[in-house]
Amino acid sequence: MGRPLDLLLRGGTLVDGTGTPAREADIAVVDGRIAVLPAGTPAAAAETLDVTGQVVTPGFIDVHTHSDALAAPHGNAGATEPTDDLRLAPLLQGVTTEICGNCGTSLFPSLPERLPVLAEHLRVTFGLGPVRPAVDFDTFAAGQDPALRRTHIASLVGHGTLRAGVMGFDARPPGPDELDTMCALLDRALTQGAAGLSTGLIYPPGTYADTEEIVALARVAARHGKPYVTHLRDEMSQVESALEEALDIAVRSGAPLQISHHKTAGRHAWGATLRTLPRLEQARAEGVDVLCDVYPYTAGSTVLHAMLPPWTSEGGVGALLERLRRPETRDRVRADIAQGVKGWENTVGNGGWDLITVAAAQAHPEAEGRSIADLATERGVHPVDHACDLLLAEQGEVTIISHSMREDDVRRVLVSPLSMIGSDGVPKPGRPHPRWAGSFARVLGHYGRDEQLLPLESAVHKMTGLPARRFGLTDRGVVRDGALGDLVVLDPASVRDTATFDRPLLAPEGIDTVVVAGRVAVRGGCPTAVRAGEVVRIR
């Protein structure tokens, strides 16, 4: 080569992210870009790593995170700053690019006059104290602190944020002018480089939107060639009808469709992947560009107030907390959980309070790791009363883990050719779901090697080349000449997750080296001082 290399990975086996068979190759990095060399090519480098017996892959792309605020400004006195172990968790398992803004919540966009209302919503969503929302993607990007960025980050435009940023938390359709404003803000954000449109149709205010509203916004994404990414309106007993709504939106708008963390949860939906996955394959055969993502666990995680009927959140966080003080509100919540409400997912009604455990309650750490049912029994109160009391005590800022899925359903989605890997990580203090620190290593080790559900090349493709193609990450996801120097070196015989629900941030084993933008960010399984992550703009 014409000049000395910055980095040379010599002697490894290349799994390049395309899904093709592994091969022997040396990997060079020059000025942050990759060059693939025949094995044993004579070359000089500023740093040479002998990776004999190990596998070299592209940096992993986590297509589904809620890490928007980890490197964002908080600013107000008393804000809970994220600990560095939260920022390190994805990097230590090989993630070099995260896509945030999922499930309808992003840190932008908003009309300036709506920013205070939006800030309160983001506080309870991200659980890191006051968070400053941004009027557009440019402002979001400028607010990311490069001194804190361990990985690259791209962001979707969250429909819930967009709706709240224009019309607040009103449970009604938008007026024509409001819808036009939402479309204009979305168009601007996508032009600035946002990755697509996301919805979270179980979460207020997104749940207040009808199909027509989403179709109008998805058409804007389609004009940019960017995907519509959706947390379905129901992933439980009505998952099949919710899936049909998403497919209808994709067909009518022309937008590529990404089903977020595809699952069939709750006892009334167990086994439904036997129908949903063939339906997705049929839609693809009919010309719908539909894919999905999945995390390798039978438990999910979300905010506690999502366990309550949507009407409780109408008007925003302040209105929610005021309602929860009233006995008549609690009586109505109990009745709705028992009887169901049309169009509401009703997680507790599909499972039970014994399956809902507290993940983060900063003023009540003694509750973390324990079920709402057990905590209520200990206090001698109804679980609804305990949930409401906890939300009031924490000013709405409580995260939970929901044990709602069945292993065979998770496995079916993992092996589907339509699925890619996303952690759905919720990086908050307390006891966050171990998927934030373990998803990628768990797929490679437990499901790939130990259970032999999928070969290494396929597993890596689901973490790299497939998501890169889906989200327009043209210079990453595949190890090839000229690609960005994001790389992982792992031992296929020993890679495994170690994070548990009790110790959720334990680093994985078997991931030796992670390179971000050509710089070694993890060496010998330990982080270096490198912070090379950048905000990714997708044009």
Side-chain angles (χ1 to χ4, degrees), residues 66 102-110 114-133 158-165 168-169 200 202-208 302-303 305-306 313 315-321 395-398 428:
H66 297 279
N102 281 283
C103 296
T105 302
S106 55
L107 292 188
F108 66 95
S110 174
R114 291 285 187 181
L115 290 174
V117 173
L118 187 56
E120 193 60 359
H121 170 59
L122 297 177
R123 175 185 65 79
V124 301
T125 300
F126 291 108
L128 295 169
V131 178
R132 297 177 189 170
H159 161 255
T161 296
L162 181 63
R163 197 178 210 271
F169 280 75
I202 74 161
Y203 300 116
T207 191
Y208 306 142
T302 187
V303 287
H305 66 265
S313 290
V317 175
L320 166 70
L321 297 178
Q395 288 296 295
E397 195 174 315
V398 183
K428 298 182 181 182

Side-chain angles (χ1 to χ4, degrees), residues 309-516:
W311 57 263
T312 59
S313 290
E314 185 177 355
V317 175
L320 166 70
L321 297 178
E322 181 57 36
R323 286 189 187 99
L324 296 186
R325 293 186 174 91
R326 303 173 192 157
E328 61 269 24
T329 295
R330 301 181 182 202
D331 289 341
R332 184 179 170 189
V333 169
R334 272 186 281 270
D336 284 353
I337 289 174
Q339 300 167 12
V341 174
K342 185 177 180 180
W344 175 44
E345 183 174 79
N346 194 6
T347 298
V348 177
N350 280 286
W353 286 110
D354 57 318
L355 301 180
I356 308 297
T357 60
V358 177
Q362 292 181 38
H364 296 80
E366 71 281 357
E368 293 171 354
R370 303 189 62 197
S371 74
I372 295 292
D374 285 348
L375 290 165
T377 298
E378 193 173 90
R379 290 184 58 214
V381 300
H382 191 280
V384 166
D385 290 306
H386 183 72
C388 293
D389 289 343
L390 188 59
L391 283 166
L392 287 168
E394 297 282 345
Q395 288 296 295
E397 195 174 315
V398 183
T399 308
I400 57 94
I401 291 172
S402 172
H403 297 269
S404 58
M405 287 165 270
R406 206 166 68 179
E407 177 71 11
D408 59 338
D409 286 314
V410 173
R411 288 173 176 244
R412 286 188 199 103
V413 184
L414 278 171
V415 301
S416 168
L418 304 186
S419 71
M420 60 194 75
I421 308 303
S423 71
D424 196 10
V426 184
K428 298 182 181 182
R431 294 194 192 186
H433 195 301
R435 63 193 183 187
W436 180 236
S439 289
F440 291 81
R442 184 170 176 80
V443 170
L444 293 168
H446 175 67
Y447 285 109
R449 180 193 61 240
D450 299 343
E451 298 295 317
Q452 298 188 345
L453 279 188
L454 61 171
L456 180 62
E457 292 90 345
S458 295
V460 170
H461 178 58
K462 288 173 176 286
M463 303 173 178
T464 57
L466 183 59
R469 187 167 70 244
R470 163 53 94 210
F471 289 97
L473 299 166
T474 55
D475 60 350
R476 62 198 77 202
V478 175
V479 177
R480 58 169 175 78
D481 290 344
L484 188 69
D486 293 342
L487 298 161
V488 177
V489 179
L490 61 90
D491 179 0
S494 65
V495 62
R496 71 181 188 98
D497 63 305
T498 68
T500 67
F501 288 98
D502 287 331
R503 301 183 69 189
L505 294 179
L506 289 178
E509 296 176 355
I511 295 182
D512 181 82
T513 303
V514 182
V515 180
V516 179

Side-chain angles (χ1 to χ4, degrees), residues 201-226:
L201 298 180
I202 74 161
Y203 300 116
T207 191
Y208 306 142
D210 61 18
T211 303
E212 298 304 316
E213 177 181 329
I214 308 302
V215 169
L217 292 166
R219 284 178 176 144
V220 178
R223 290 200 299 270
H224 288 264
K226 294 179 178 180

